[in-house]
Structure formats: C-alpha cells, structure tokens
Amino acid sequence: MLLVLAACAAPVSDLPAAQDTARGDTGADDTATDTGPTGPDVPPPALTASEVGAALDVALAGEIPTFPEAIGAFSALMALGVGCTPDDRFFKILDPEGCLAPSGVTYSGAGGAVGGWDDAGEVYTYELRGDLVIIDAAGVPYEMGGDIDTVVTPYVGGLAFSQQFLGTFRYPAAPTWLGRGTSGSAWIEADIGDDGALVAQVDGGYDLGGASVYFDALTVGGACGSAPTGAIRLRDMSGYWYVFTYGPECDTCGDVAYAGDSLGAACVDPTAAMAGIGEAVRTWMSDHPVVTE
Amino acid sequence: MILALLLACAPVAEAPPADEAPATMGLPGPPTSALALAGWEGDAPYLTPLSAPRLLRRMSLDLRGILPSEAELDAVEADPSALDALRDAYLADPRLEDRLVALFAERWHTVMDEYEVNSDDYGLFPHDADMFAHAVGEEPLRLLAHVVVNDLPWSDVVTADYTMANEMLGSVWPLDYPEGEEGWKVARYTDGRPAAGVLSTNGFWWRYVTNESNKNRGRVAAISKLLLCTDILARPVVFERSTETDPEHAIRTQPACQSCHAAIDPAAASLFGYWWVIQYNPYEMDTYHAEREPLGPTLLGVSPAWYGTPINGLVDLGWHVAEDPRFVRCGAQSFAEQLWHREVALRDYASVEALRSEFVASGLSPLTLLRAVTDTAEYRAGGFTPDAPDIVRERERVERLLSPNQLGAVIAEETGFAWTAAGYTQLENDVFGYRVLRGGVNGYSATEVQQAPGLTWMMVNTRVAQAAAFSVVARDLDAGEGLTVRGVTLETTASDPALATALTSLYWRWYAERPDDAWTEAITALWATVAAEEGTASAWRSVLEAMIRDPKFQAY
C-alpha cells in the first residue's frame, strides 16, 4: 500500500514550501515557541563599487595562470629524478614515503607531462596531469592535483591558443602565480598575433592571490576592440558574490552588483593580465619551435 | 485501507497548510480525527513496558553506552518514578556525546575505514590510519552531537559557522584548531567555505562524493535522505523507452527525469565549491574551492535553488534546508527510528507528529526530543499484549541487540578489557577488526545495524566474552581489585555463600533483573564442575564468559 500511496502523492515541489511561510517558521503549531532559523539575511556588502574594482585590479595584477610556468617547473624537477623518474616524463610512486633521488628531490604520487608537435608540425599540444607532490632539494613542495591541457595551432601571423586549467597547483619556489599557488577551473581561448594583437576570452574561476575570481566571457579584442567585455565576479568572504559587468561604452568601466543589487560603477583594466597570457604563450612557443626532419 | 488510500490521494490543495501539518515522506498528513480509523495510531496499544530496572538499563546503554550502577538499579526497583530523574541525569552525562556519535554513525554512514584520501596522503604514521579514518567520519557526527549535548536549536546542524575537529584534523586540514590542544573542539575552516553546519564539513563530503557525470546530484539525494527523510531514489518514477542518447539533455527534457531533477539539479548547483577536479588528491579534497561555486549553473544548466526558491549557493543552502518543513519532522522521525530500532512508517504518524510538536514547542531542543522519544511506548516496550497481532510482534523491537560500539564500551567499563590491535579498535573497524561481523555498520556496504543474532555475531561475542572474562579474573581475583567480581577470592568454594552472593549481584548489575533460584543453582554447578577440573580461576572465567554471552547481556 505504501507504494500506492507514494505513487499518488504530489511532487514534493508542489507541496507547501518552507519559503511560503514566514521566516523562521519551521512548521510549528500555534502554541510553538519557535527559535528556528530566521535567516539567511544577505549581509551588507563589505566593499563599495570602487573597492570591488580595486580588489579586482589587485587580483588581476598577479596574472592569469597559464601552462608554461606549471609545466616548466615540473619538467625541471623531473629532470632531477634519476632513479625515481625513469623517462623524465611520468612517475607513479605509491609508497607514501616517496622516492628520494640522488639529487635530493623526493617524488610521491602519480603524474606526468607529455606533449609536443604533431607529426605534421601543425599542432602543438601539452598536458600536465598530476596527483602528486615533489619536494625539491631545498625542501619546497610542488603540490599538484589536477591537469592543464593546452593546444597551440600556429597560423600565418599568429597562434591560436586554448587552455583548460583544472585543479590545484602550488610551488612556493616558483615566481608569479605558481609560487602563490592557485586553484581553478577555467578555460582560455585566444588568438595571439605576432604583431602583439590579441583576441582572448577567459571563462571560469581562479583563486588569484587569495581572491576568488570568476570570469564570465571576459574578452579583449572582441566587439569592443582592445577594450574588455564580459563580466568578472569577486567573492566576498561572507560567501556572496560581487559581479562587475563591463558596460556598453567600450571602456574599462561597468556596473558592480551585489546579491542582485547595483552598488554603482567601477573600472577594472584587465589589459595587462590578458596580454600576459599572450606573452607567456608566445615565449614558450619560441622556446619550443617545430622540429622538422 | 480504502480510507487510507483516499486520504493519501486527496488533492494537495486540500492538504493543511505547512505550518499546521508538515508533510511526511513527501505526503500530506491525515486529519488527526482520522488517525484511528486509518490505522495510523501506531503499535502502542499492543505494547507492554519493560520493568523499571530493565528500562533504566536500556536508557543507560542508549544514552551513556554503559550499564547503570547497582545503586541506580536499586533506586528504580524501589521507586520506578525515579526513572525519569535518572534518565535526565544520563542526558547530562558527558558520555552522551560519544554515544551519540556512535548512534549517528549508524544512520549517517560517514564513518568508513577508508576514504579517497587517507592518512598516508598526509604522511601520517601507519598506526594512525584508523584514528584518521574515524576522525574524518566523525567530524560531521561530532557536530551533530555537539548541537545535542549543548541543547542548541537542531537547525544549527545545517547553519552552524563552525565544525568539530581534533588535533589530527587540525594538523592536516585548513582549520583554526587551537595550537597545542588535543581532543574534539569547536574549530572553523579558514578556506572561505560558507557556514552550513554539516554541509560545510569535509567529513560529510568525503563520504558523499560525486563525479564528472553525477555533478553533485547524489549529494543532494544524501541531503534529502538524511535531513528531510525523503529518499529520492525510492520514488516510483516510470521511464518510457527513449532514443535519447544524451543523458544531460534527457534530464532537462524528459518528464520522468524532471520529476526528480527539477528539484535535485538546482540544489546540486549550489555545491560546486566541493567540486574536485581530481579525486584521491588531498589538495583538491580538503580545501573548499570558492572560485568554482559559479560552475554549478554552467555545468548543470540551472541556477541554484531549493525546491523552486532561488538561492545564492551553499551560503544559503543550510538555512533553506532548516526552513523546509520536512527538516523538523525528519529530526523527530530520525531520533525515533534510531531509538526504536526500526523504520518509521505511516502507521506511526501520530507518534511522530506528537514528537515533532513537542520538538517545535521546545524551540527545536534536541534534548527535549531525546527525552520525549524515551517516553514513548515504542521506546519503552518490553513485550506485547496478548491480543497483539503477529505483524506488530514482527515489526516492533522489544529487545534490541547491543551494537558493536555498545558492546565494546560495556565490556571495557565492566571488565577492563579494551580490544585493540595495531592501533585499531577491533569492534570499530573492518580492516583488522570485526565490526561488520559483529553486526555493525561500515558506512557503505553494511548500512543497518544487525537486529537479530547470527553466526559471526555469536563467534565475535564468544571471543570478546573469553577475553573479557580473562581480564576480570586477572584484575579482580589475581590482582585482588574486586571491581566487578566482589567479595570472593580464588580460594572461595562453591559452598561458600559469598560465591552465590557475588554471582547474583553480578546478575543484577549486568542484566537488571533478579536471578531465580534455578539460575543460581545452575551457574553454581557450572562453576563447581569447572573448578573441580581446572581450578577456581578457570571456573570464574567460564561463568563470566557464559554470563557475557547470555542474551540478557547482549540484548537490552
């Protein structure tokens, strides 16, 4: 009978919802003394619109993470792994004690980096993937949980670049973003011109120097030319988000909203951070030219 | 039955408002006047209560994990009305917290032997593996227990801005656990995760993991089952054959899929701070990823919401769970189920509704609820009336088996024997131990406490009883401490009245009943037979082992 009863029950979403009752009403009868929840009340914003803009400027000053630094540091450490990393590309060391190489570097976990030009020399791909920690000879750990996938396709006059960045990467001995460490789930698509022209779009989130930032189609070189379009979110420590959205004027300014309400205008210039993407890729590729037989 | 069907199938529009009769198990409640006719008044009329001493024993085991003292048994034997005061004292006993953790583990299933990240991932010593696994699994349970023992509003379990941690978790997770301290203490995560009580604990999400295709949906099912007593997976959804090849498209478009996913997916969209790119990785799994919160709407195609009401994400989720009418009723239902040792069904509507009402009237006081559950006929049942139908006799638990946790605690308290090996508590794990063989819950494949004796259950009891009896003889008779077996020595003979006195005293203490002459004669004869062949120490070991293996000891 229970099945029959359940079958003819209304969908839960059709039943009286908690939200239909007054705040804090947990369904008590008339005699109840209800001390149940009375929230959540969205706390007032901790930042003004201009402070949000300034915070985003600071976050973006630390550059947007790209693959070269992560792979470069990993490859350098792998090169010191004689006795632990036989092919210099992968290792899988399940012993929690790790493997101590004569170089003084300790390897633990599993991961690797593989990539290069395809046979035709037309597409360059690289993947770094790891669930590992490598402790360098100075005792500094390179902690990794995730993967970075990169595809670079040269064309006449530039490079088409895409990157998927997923996971946590931290190596305090490295300069820039890897040294500070980051966690992210983000995607970049870019056309990087040899002449410095850049069309780039970033989607997804990064922890940038302790600030949680999320890009919604942040684009330069698009509809507004060199001026940015799209939006950038900044998370308040309360758990709510500020949303900075570029306006139609094609400048670096836009509106800041918090919990759906506008806080006013602010300006955020991502040009340098976006240019850094192009510069990092261009430098890496110049160091890894196509090899023809 | 027809009336019951009519009641259940009544249009929802005719159901009473949420603040008058909250839904149960997704169904509107019946008008109270129809309870008796519908057969929803429960089994109480067919139940007879335990004797006061035996009931005190049940309460002590449930609330403290140990047996009552002889003085307490004497008090309720002389005056059964003393029971309530002793029960209230048990509710204030410091052992209640550990006992609740063990009890919640049976329902929440967060305590497992292994997780996707284990102690070796943090470079901890191998002998800390069990302590680490228990610490992870107990984290959310300790928070639940903390709310209960401090009698905080039950809604705190999903809104608290803190968790509970011990020194081990404090050393490896992003917590502000006080430096140099030890033991379970209030602590806060330092990684920016929102305040959502157990929904902000690593221990909960390490148990209820997700993956790339599931996208946190299973986690919503866990929230629904544990906090709303609504088992989404039990819904009788009928799927039609489809040529659809994209499951995500089907979920968004097929009515059968939407019957659940319309509610599941928006809630799942609020959980992407716990979206791990690589599982089995400590850096990913022990830290909240605030920057991934907005991924939910992107990956699921829906904005965060709780049953139709938009929310801002996890930061709002706990509050909305707490405000859901099913949450309070589920609190009452789940406490009843755990202490009644059976599932609550529609026939229990009136009993659970009474508990819910008292719970609400108390301001969601968990101790009030615990007290109320221990007042119910179902909790106090020790037998049946002569006219009790067979179905009632089958479903009510008038005798409950000691869980492995209770057995371990009682044995340690009564005999001084604590069963450990290589850092593992043998009745609390299955790596080297015997938790499941003894009828316990391991969190994933054994999810209900064994309710009836079985072969491995008996074998483990035998070993425990043997070791415990050995411990008592060594302590009380060889060393002469006389803590459990009193007033006798290894020179005491079968004809010495002190022997019978010691045994009958033990019977009272361990079973909360007075032995009859037949038992006293039989146990004395057993003692004498073994003593004649193997000596008095062996005789004591034999009778103590027999008494521990006795159903009167193993049940309560």
Side-chain angles (χ1 to χ4, degrees), chain A residues 42-117:
Chain A
V42 178
L47 303 178
T48 64
S50 60
E51 288 171 335
V52 170
L56 286 172
D57 277 336
V58 169
L60 292 175
E63 83 177 308
I64 294 172
T66 50
F67 74 96
E69 181 146 6
I71 292 176
F74 179 80
S75 299
L77 289 169
M78 289 295 279
L80 300 173
V82 175
C84 296
T85 58
D87 68 0
D88 285 353
R89 294 179 134 191
F90 302 97
F91 73 87
K92 183 174 184 180
I93 299 165
L94 301 180
D95 184 345
E97 298 288 320
C99 176
L100 174 61
S103 62
V105 180
T106 302
Y107 302 81
S108 178
V114 62
W117 292 96

Side-chain angles (χ1 to χ4, degrees), chain A residues 25-179:
Chain A
D25 187 347
T26 52
D29 60 29
D30 292 339
T31 61
T33 302
D34 185 4
T35 60
T38 56
D41 294 323
V42 178
L47 303 178
T48 64
S50 60
E51 288 171 335
V52 170
L56 286 172
D57 277 336
V58 169
L60 292 175
E63 83 177 308
I64 294 172
T66 50
F67 74 96
E69 181 146 6
I71 292 176
F74 179 80
S75 299
L77 289 169
M78 289 295 279
L80 300 173
V82 175
C84 296
T85 58
D87 68 0
D88 285 353
R89 294 179 134 191
F90 302 97
F91 73 87
K92 183 174 184 180
I93 299 165
L94 301 180
D95 184 345
E97 298 288 320
C99 176
L100 174 61
S103 62
V105 180
T106 302
Y107 302 81
S108 178
V114 62
W117 292 96
D118 66 357
D119 291 343
E122 295 175 346
V123 180
Y124 179 88
T125 59
Y126 221 110
E127 179 178 8
L128 171 66
R129 177 183 291 261
D131 171 13
L132 57 84
V133 58
I134 302 174
I135 302 173
D136 68 18
V140 181
Y142 186 169
E143 300 168 336
M144 187 189 304
D147 69 290
I148 304 174
D149 289 316
T150 299
V151 180
V152 182
T153 308
Y155 59 88
V156 176
L159 303 167
F161 165 66
S162 68
Q163 172 184 284
Q164 174 176 270
F165 185 106
L166 302 171
T168 302
F169 298 82
R170 184 185 305 114
Y171 183 38
T176 65
W177 72 264
L178 185 61

Side-chain angles (χ1 to χ4, degrees), chain B residues 98 108 311 423 474 483 555:
Chain B
D98 279 348
W108 286 68
I311 61 176
L483 298 176

Side-chain angles (χ1 to χ4, degrees), chain B residues 45-129:
Chain B
Y46 302 112
L47 302 174
T48 59
L50 283 169
S51 68
R54 194 76 181 164
L55 179 56
L56 182 72
R57 183 178 186 271
R58 178 176 291 175
M59 289 175 169
S60 182
L61 285 165
D62 276 337
L63 302 177
R64 304 189 303 172
I66 60 169
L67 299 174
S69 68
E70 285 183 68
E72 290 168 341
L73 290 170
D74 292 342
V76 297
E77 184 184 44
D79 177 12
S81 69
L83 194 67
D84 289 348
L86 283 168
R87 183 265 319 273
D88 290 348
Y90 293 169
L91 286 171
D93 191 294
R95 284 167 287 209
L96 175 65
E97 187 165 343
D98 279 348
R99 180 69 202 115
L100 287 170
V101 169
L103 197 65
F104 289 138
E106 295 170 4
R107 169 177 160 77
W108 286 68
H109 302 155
T110 56
V111 177
M112 303 196 299
D113 286 330
E114 289 189 329
Y115 297 86
E116 292 185 348
V117 166
N118 292 301
S119 60
D120 54 7
D121 291 300
Y122 291 108
L124 300 174
F125 293 113
H127 62 258
D128 285 333

